[in-house]
Amino acid sequence: MAGWWGPSGCQTENREFNFKPDGVWHYCMRCTDENQGEFYGQESWGKAVYQEIIVPEKIVLTDMFADEGGNAADGMPVTLVTLTFVEHEGKTKLIMLSRFASAEGLQQVMGMGIVQGCASQFYRLDDLLEKLQEPC
């Protein structure tokens, strides 16, 4: 996850990673790209709690903004995320569904650039998967 999670220009540090039901992933995304101006050096802490893991079909988790200690950030929305993996034309298709408790919570993260950030991290995942398939 640390190799691709987070928007382009960020590096992710895993503080805790327990990939199992009720397990916690606590992480920090740090902007390391000087070309990103005011965002350079900023940290964004997050926390996920895995609700359900059905290999190789589905992962369900709650995702939230957090602080360095892993405490949920006040005033920030919590997202229920369902990742579904399906076979499509001989490949694996990932379907990501994010549910918010309110339209206001959705609008809050939309205003923070979540769509662009998610798209950028999936491009990073594509790059990592390509590198992993290269001969040694």
Side-chain angles (χ1 to χ4, degrees), residues 10 27 31 49 51 55 60 87 97 114:
C10 287
Y27 60 92
C31 182
V49 179
Q51 308 298 315
V55 177
V60 180
E87 185 178 336
L97 175 65
I114 189 123

Side-chain angles (χ1 to χ4, degrees), residues 37-105:
E38 66 185 72
F39 297 108
Y40 176 68
Q42 286 189 3
E43 294 183 349
S44 180
W45 287 89
K47 179 179 174 181
V49 179
Y50 295 99
Q51 308 298 315
E52 183 179 12
I53 300 170
I54 302 172
V55 177
E57 300 169 13
K58 178 169 70 167
I59 302 169
V60 180
L61 59 102
T62 53
D63 185 40
M64 64 201 79
F65 294 88
D67 64 16
E68 190 173 343
N71 304 298
D74 290 332
M76 297 301 290
V78 174
T79 311
L80 179 64
V81 179
T82 302
L83 302 164
T84 307
F85 303 88
V86 295
E87 185 178 336
H88 179 73
E89 299 178 357
K91 296 182 179 184
T92 302
K93 180 177 182 178
L94 168 63
I95 301 167
M96 181 175 167
L97 175 65
S98 299
R99 292 187 177 149
F100 294 84
S102 68
E104 292 81 15

Side-chain angles (χ1 to χ4, degrees), residues 14-34:
N14 291 327
R15 175 69 53 96
E16 178 180 357
F17 189 79
N18 294 307
F19 186 65
K20 62 183 182 180
D22 296 320
V24 170
W25 175 33
H26 180 215
Y27 60 92
C28 178
M29 296 180 294
R30 206 171 274 107
C31 182
T32 57
D33 181 359
E34 293 181 7

